[in-house]
Amino acid sequence: MPRKKSEKKPGTRNLNGMGNVYKTKDGRYEFRKMEDGELRFASSKTAAGLNERIKELSPIPASKEKVKLYDWIDTYLKVYVEPLRKASTHKQYKDTAECYIKPNIPNRYVKNIKKIDIQNIIAKLTKKGLSANTMKQVLKVLNLLFNQAIEDKITVENPVEEVEIPGIQQKPRKTLKIEELNRIFEYLKNSRWYWPIHFMLYTGLRRGELLGLKWSDIDEKQYIITVADNLTDEGIGSTKENKVHYVPLSNKAARCLEEFKKQLKKENNPAYFRNDTDIIFVSQKGKPLRPHSLNNVFRRIQDNLDIQASPHSMRHSFVYYNKNKLSLSELKDALGHEETTSTLDIYGTMLTDAKNVAKKIDETYGELENEMEEPEKKKIVGSVVSLNDFRKRK
């Protein structure tokens, strides 16, 4: 029987780049083609059916060039992050890549990295006992890397999508008890950090926001602190949310500033007489403080007082002690969050008044117990008879 013109002769080779058709021993027709390092495959019982399957194969966009993963990480950080993002963001991404990504994945071509390679990074980090936040940061950086690689036609897919991280329970946010605060401030009473740390407790400022605060940011007439800067190891930059926010200036916070200014005068601090940077909380030489200086203070507190405290625990404590005084919207504004949902996500359980909730639970079950006892009382009352009725019955 003559072969139809539409059918290709099984087992023949096509021109380079067109793929090959084979007929297997069991009579099936197969199509195979290597395209940009990927095998394109289709199979059918008939040649006509195979042609239809071949048409259904979606083409793979060819990648621009072969680039190794480590080289692409370095290029991405240099071209897309360093000149466009904050210095602290660049450092954070670079540290994430050097500490967690490169040591845990082979340096293969970017287009050959698969989901299992990314999932393997998470498995190794889990085995080392690292936090869920660290893993989320790793996936964030990898996701940005591969999305940009797709735009630059270095690869055609993002292997980070649908990668899972284990459900590691978050550690509770540390708030300082009144007794702990008393011990901390007693320990710091002769230190120049006494008033700055009080100021953190009264305002809820982050570490970088405190150290980047200027005298020109203080408006005592309007009772407002303008938070526009953030100080990191790389210098002054924008705030975490990349936006200015406003914090109420309480009388307690204003007194901290007055007392610290007295401290500067007592030290003969150059910043008291001529503050070129306008920074409030400066070193004894009148220079902006570095974040590690504040970290060292809290490290000494932990070592000497055995209290687990950090700069951020002051922010958590600010939320805890104001939870029944400020509305959710007021807390959101003071903390510099974009939305109240952010405040709830971070501090939701902390904002609950446990004592009040416990009281409501007691009231609920008190009413329930009264209702449960009511039928028993009626039964007892119903069985009581007068002495005369008792005699008549007898």
Side-chain angles (χ1 to χ4, degrees):
M1 180 178 177
R3 183 179 289 105
K4 295 180 181 179
K5 291 183 179 180
S6 60
E7 293 182 358
K8 295 179 181 179
K9 185 179 179 180
T12 58
R13 295 180 64 85
N14 290 324
L15 295 175
N16 287 340
M18 294 182 64
N20 301 303
V21 176
Y22 302 92
K23 189 173 183 178
T24 63
K25 291 181 180 180
D26 60 358
R28 293 186 66 84
Y29 291 83
E30 293 183 352
F31 167 79
R32 297 182 183 184
K33 176 187 176 183
M34 291 301 295
E35 186 175 340
D36 194 35
E38 296 284 344
L39 175 65
R40 312 295 283 155
F41 175 82
S43 175
S44 178
K45 292 181 179 180
T46 65
L50 181 65
N51 286 335
E52 292 301 319
R53 294 286 179 88
I54 292 172
K55 291 177 183 178
E56 294 173 1
L57 290 175
S58 58
I60 298 178
S63 61
K64 185 177 179 181
E65 56 183 329
K66 293 183 177 180
V67 179
K68 289 291 188 75
L69 179 61
Y70 295 0
D71 293 336
W72 173 239
I73 291 174
D74 296 339
T75 300
Y76 174 77
L77 291 171
K78 184 178 180 179
V79 176
Y80 293 104
V81 179
E82 188 173 12
L84 303 175
R85 303 288 188 92
K86 295 187 294 185
S88 57
T89 301
H90 175 256
K91 184 178 185 301
Q92 185 183 50
Y93 286 7
K94 185 176 181 181
D95 289 347
T96 299
E98 297 297 332
C99 296
Y100 305 119
I101 297 176
K102 288 183 178 180
N104 294 304
I105 189 170
N107 188 24
R108 298 205 297 267
Y109 290 122
V110 174
K111 67 178 185 178
N112 292 335
I113 303 296
K114 304 299 180 184
K115 175 185 173 181
I116 191 171
D117 298 311
I118 308 301
Q119 196 69 62
N120 192 42
I121 295 177
I122 299 303
K124 290 179 179 179
L125 298 181
T126 303
K127 192 173 182 179
K128 292 178 181 178
L130 296 178
S131 69
N133 285 336
T134 299
M135 297 182 205
K136 288 178 182 177
Q137 177 66 17
V138 168
L139 291 184
K140 176 183 177 180
V141 173
L142 284 168
N143 189 53
L144 292 170
L145 278 167
F146 281 98
N147 281 340
Q148 191 61 54
I150 292 172
E151 287 189 31
D152 288 3
K153 301 190 186 314
I154 294 171
T155 188
V156 296
E157 63 180 357
N158 185 343
V160 183
E161 295 175 356
E162 299 181 6
V163 169
E164 299 180 25
I165 63 173
I168 300 174
Q169 183 175 346
Q170 281 191 334
K171 295 179 181 179
R173 301 188 185 279
K174 172 64 177 177
T175 57
L176 295 164
K177 300 175 183 177
I178 294 176
E179 182 268 336
E180 290 175 321
L181 289 171
N182 284 335
R183 289 177 60 202
I184 288 171
F185 290 122
E186 178 65 23
Y187 174 74
L188 295 173
K189 67 179 181 180
N190 295 320
S191 164
R192 67 192 313 274
W193 288 102
Y194 182 83
W195 294 110
I197 292 178
H198 260 103
F199 190 81
M200 293 183 79
L201 179 64
Y202 295 149
T203 59
L205 291 181
R206 299 180 178 93
R207 179 190 63 183
E209 293 170 347
L210 174 86
L211 300 180
L213 202 63
K214 299 181 177 68
W215 290 106
S216 55
D217 295 327
I218 308 300
D219 188 340
E220 294 187 8
K221 292 183 179 180
Q222 299 297 324
Y223 299 93
I224 288 176
I225 304 168
T226 301
V227 182
D229 298 305
N230 182 61
L231 190 143
T232 66
D233 288 326
E234 285 70 40
I236 292 286
S238 57
T239 61
K240 182 177 181 180
E241 305 291 344
N242 286 319
K243 61 177 287 188
V244 176
H245 73 275
Y246 303 93
V247 175
L249 178 66
S250 64
N251 288 331
K252 295 282 187 182
R255 186 185 172 221
C256 292
L257 298 177
E258 292 173 7
E259 294 296 334
F260 189 73
K261 188 177 284 188
K262 293 178 183 176
Q263 176 71 27
L264 295 177
K265 183 179 181 180
K266 184 179 178 181
E267 293 174 350
N268 287 321
N269 197 298
Y272 179 81
F273 303 99
R274 181 184 174 184
N275 194 335
D276 297 327
T277 63
D278 197 33
I279 295 288
I280 296 176
F281 299 109
V282 293
S283 68
Q284 289 179 304
K285 295 182 179 180
K287 301 294 182 182
L289 289 161
R290 291 299 181 188
H292 70 264
S293 300
L294 186 55
N295 290 346
N296 289 338
V297 175
F298 280 93
R299 195 170 291 113
R300 290 195 295 271
I301 289 172
Q302 292 185 38
D303 293 341
N304 293 303
L305 303 181
D306 196 25
I307 296 175
Q308 294 302 310
S310 69
H312 224 63
S313 63
M314 289 295 169
R315 182 174 171 86
H316 298 331
S317 299
F318 169 83
V319 174
Y320 179 76
Y321 289 110
N322 282 285
K323 64 181 181 180
N324 295 325
K325 310 295 190 301
L326 302 180
S327 68
L328 180 60
S329 178
E330 289 168 335
L331 271 176
K332 182 264 293 183
D333 292 338
L335 296 170
H337 291 158
E338 285 275 0
E339 304 289 343
T340 52
T341 51
S342 300
T343 310
L344 282 173
D345 286 344
I346 299 171
Y347 295 108
T349 54
M350 190 187 296
L351 297 177
T352 302
D353 186 347
K355 183 178 179 180
N356 191 37
V357 172
K359 183 179 179 182
K360 290 179 180 179
I361 292 173
D362 283 336
E363 290 174 355
T364 297
Y365 284 100
E367 293 172 0
L368 183 63
E369 287 172 356
N370 288 337
E371 291 179 10
M372 292 169 65
E373 292 173 0
E374 199 64 34
E376 293 297 326
K377 290 180 180 178
K378 288 181 180 179
K379 188 185 293 185
I380 294 172
V381 171
S383 64
V384 175
V385 295
S386 66
L387 180 60
N388 290 332
D389 287 341
F390 175 74
R391 287 172 178 171
K392 288 178 182 178
R393 289 180 186 178
K394 189 174 181 181

